[in-house]
Amino acid sequence: MKKTIIASLLLSILGGATNIAIAATTENGAMTSAVMASAVVQAQQIEPNAQFSQWLPQVMARFNNLPEVQAQAAQAEQAKLSIAAADKAVYNPELGLGYQNATEDTYSIDISQTIDWGNKRGVATRIAQLESEILFSSITLERNQMLAERLQALTNQSQARKALEFQQQQFNLAKGQLDIARQRTEVGDLSSVELQLMQLDVASNAADYALAEQESIAADGTVLALFGEHDLPFADFVNSLTQQASNLEVSPQLPALKSAYQQVLVAKVTAEQAKADTSADPSISLSAEREGNENKVGLGLSIPLQIRNNYSEAIAVANQGIIIAEQTYLAQERALLQQQAQFSLSFPRLAARYQDWSELVLTSGAQAAKSLSQQWQSGDINTSDYLQSQRQMSGSYLAGLSLESALYKSWLSWMGDSGQLEDYLNRQLPSQGAVASAPVQNK
């Protein structure tokens, strides 16, 4: 029973709030958890959009100004230009001039035009359009994955800071309890062995504090590498995710599949292009000639003869490309649908455990830390049991951090890989103009 109460107290620190109020230490050095539980309740009552509005516009504005994102915008513009270039005529007319110096000088002029009999222009335009759509889909998917990676870095940074703050509190609390232990030893209320145990506990907390500092520094470095700065606004939004878990809806038309399906269409049009490129395009010509005092007019037609090479092998290669593209699409579809099934199976279960955890926080353990410290000071529990309870408390809190991190990782990985993240975040913005107008701090 004591273990359950202590664990629930620690979990109350995590909750959903970014800045959970920590009450001043009581006379016996314990933290009052009633304020923390109240902060958790308030955090869970915040509307999801309100949580996002506090930080998302600034983060999205910073993301959109990254050089790699700007390069994607240039690629999209390049794709539009490629469509216009492909929609031009394949053959230009040819102009010929001639002169012969003989008994009677001969002057000639002719103009010829090759006809796009195989519709090379139409096929090239269609391929350019499909390739542009593939590029747009690829950019959309890449943007989602980049955004997921950066939001994951921000959540990791937030989690690392929580762990650092907690380990600092544990270290300060252990030092305060050590001072009390020394006073109790002086009056004979505590043995020297128990005092040494308290000293070892302080040393252990100091080591945990140092490790948490290293992890926080590493998380800051990751954010710095991805955004160009490490101090960006961010607020936990895990509660808004758990609220959606019961009504989990996955788009049947995943953006990640759109690019793969368009590859199939490109393969089919490429087969048409092979036929068009190898087609026998005729040329017509019109000529005018003056030989002495005699004027001549000529009309010509030339047709390539595909006798030595009818290009059937090239067409067969292109047709084989259709089969390859179709099978590649089916493989990608199967992998993504499996990932979707795994997400649909795991995320609601993680969310349910998180809800159980939160409900346990709100219904018990408000005075556990204070009571535990009072019992130790009064001698109702010995030092070993007290320190074991403290370790249980620490383990429970870190387990809660791990659960919250798992929720973020599961959701961000799926939303990024499926290409749905950016659209979801845009719906959480106060207005579509918020991203453009949000201030961007360059450090």
Side-chain angles (χ1 to χ4, degrees):
M1 179 65 180
K2 177 176 66 177
K3 180 177 180 180
T4 302
I5 295 177
I6 294 171
S8 63
L9 167 68
L10 259 293
L11 297 178
S12 67
I13 301 176
L14 187 57
T18 307
N19 299 315
I20 296 181
I22 303 300
T25 55
T26 59
E27 294 178 356
N28 56 19
M31 295 180 295
T32 304
S33 59
V35 176
M36 291 186 287
S38 175
V40 174
V41 176
Q42 294 176 3
Q44 293 180 336
Q45 292 175 346
I46 297 177
E47 292 293 332
N49 286 355
Q51 289 181 345
F52 284 109
S53 65
Q54 297 171 2
W55 60 274
L56 187 56
Q58 293 90 332
V59 169
M60 290 297 293
R62 189 69 183 91
F63 173 77
N64 287 326
N65 281 279
L66 292 173
E68 49 267 48
V69 177
Q70 293 294 317
Q72 290 176 338
Q75 286 181 323
E77 186 63 28
Q78 184 184 47
K80 295 178 182 178
L81 294 175
S82 68
I83 297 175
D87 195 28
K88 298 296 183 180
V90 177
Y91 301 109
N92 285 311
E94 297 181 7
L95 178 64
L97 299 174
Y99 168 72
Q100 292 182 1
N101 185 6
T103 305
E104 292 184 351
D105 293 343
T106 302
Y107 302 88
S108 64
I109 181 172
D110 64 87
I111 184 169
S112 63
Q113 172 68 60
T114 301
I115 301 175
D116 185 12
W117 196 264
N119 194 25
K120 292 182 176 65
R121 173 183 176 181
V123 174
T125 301
R126 180 57 180 153
I127 288 181
Q129 290 173 342
L130 287 173
E131 289 179 343
S132 297
E133 292 175 7
I134 291 174
L135 178 61
F136 296 150
S137 299
S138 299
I139 288 176
T140 299
L141 183 58
E142 186 178 353
R143 278 176 61 89
N144 277 270
Q145 293 172 341
M146 291 168 58
L147 191 55
E149 180 185 14
R150 281 155 178 78
L151 285 185
Q152 185 66 65
L154 289 176
T155 59
N156 291 343
Q157 182 187 50
S158 176
Q159 300 298 90
R161 288 177 176 178
K162 287 180 185 179
L164 177 62
E165 181 181 0
F166 171 74
Q167 296 295 358
Q168 181 182 18
Q169 292 166 357
Q170 289 295 95
F171 177 60
N172 293 335
L173 177 61
K175 290 195 298 183
Q177 296 297 75
L178 178 60
D179 292 337
I180 296 176
R182 286 170 177 162
Q183 296 173 9
R184 292 181 60 187
T185 303
E186 291 176 358
V187 299
D189 190 34
L190 202 67
S191 67
S192 59
V193 175
E194 290 178 301
L195 178 61
Q196 290 177 359
L197 290 176
M198 296 297 292
Q199 290 173 338
L200 289 174
D201 182 61
V202 173
S204 178
N205 278 281
D208 292 338
Y209 185 21
L211 292 176
E213 188 76 74
Q214 294 178 35
E215 293 178 359
S216 181
I217 292 172
D220 288 342
T222 302
V223 173
L224 177 63
L226 293 175
F227 281 100
E229 55 183 302
H230 74 280
D231 192 13
L232 287 168
F234 180 77
D236 286 332
F237 57 95
V238 67
N239 286 320
S240 65
L241 301 183
T242 57
Q243 291 169 9
Q244 302 170 32
S246 58
N247 297 319
L248 188 62
E249 295 182 0
V250 180
S251 173
Q253 296 180 345
L254 299 174
L257 289 178
K258 185 177 180 181
S259 176
Y261 181 70
Q262 287 168 337
Q263 293 283 1
V264 178
L265 298 181
V266 168
K268 293 180 178 180
V269 179
T270 301
E272 296 179 10
Q273 185 183 39
K275 296 176 182 178
D277 290 341
T278 57
S279 64
D281 291 338
S283 298
I284 59 173
S285 62
L286 179 65
S287 62
E289 182 178 318
R290 181 176 179 83
E291 182 178 356
N293 295 324
E294 186 179 359
N295 295 326
K296 301 177 180 179
V297 177
L299 180 64
L301 174 65
S302 63
I303 302 176
L305 299 177
Q306 295 181 342
I307 298 176
R308 301 184 62 187
N309 186 1
N310 60 4
Y311 304 100
S312 58
E313 290 79 6
I315 297 174
V317 170
N319 289 331
Q320 197 67 23
I322 298 177
I323 300 175
I324 296 174
E326 289 176 341
Q327 295 303 316
T328 301
Y329 167 76
L330 292 175
Q332 293 180 355
E333 181 185 40
R334 182 181 62 181
L336 196 60
L337 292 178
Q338 288 176 347
Q339 186 179 0
Q340 171 187 326
Q342 182 179 2
F343 171 75
S344 301
L345 177 66
S346 62
F347 187 79
R349 294 168 64 180
L350 288 173
R353 300 292 75 76
Y354 184 85
Q355 291 290 357
D356 293 341
W357 172 66
S358 300
E359 291 173 4
L360 180 63
V361 168
L362 300 178
T363 56
S364 63
Q367 299 295 329
K370 177 180 178 180
S371 175
L372 181 64
S373 181
Q374 289 175 341
Q375 291 177 19
W376 173 72
Q377 291 189 47
S378 63
D380 293 339
I381 60 174
N382 58 41
T383 302
S384 296
D385 290 339
Y386 171 72
L387 293 178
Q388 182 181 3
S389 299
Q390 288 291 95
R391 285 190 291 271
Q392 291 172 353
M393 185 179 293
S394 178
S396 299
Y397 175 68
L398 296 178
L401 278 183
S402 178
L403 176 61
E404 191 171 90
S405 298
L407 277 167
Y408 279 127
K409 184 176 181 180
S410 175
W411 187 79
L412 287 172
S413 296
W414 165 248
M415 295 295 285
D417 291 342
S418 62
Q420 302 177 92
L421 180 60
E422 187 173 14
D423 181 63
Y424 172 83
L425 294 178
N426 284 335
R427 295 198 303 269
Q428 312 309 315
L429 293 171
S431 63
Q432 292 297 324
V435 173
S437 61
V440 179
Q441 298 178 354
N442 295 319
K443 297 185 179 181

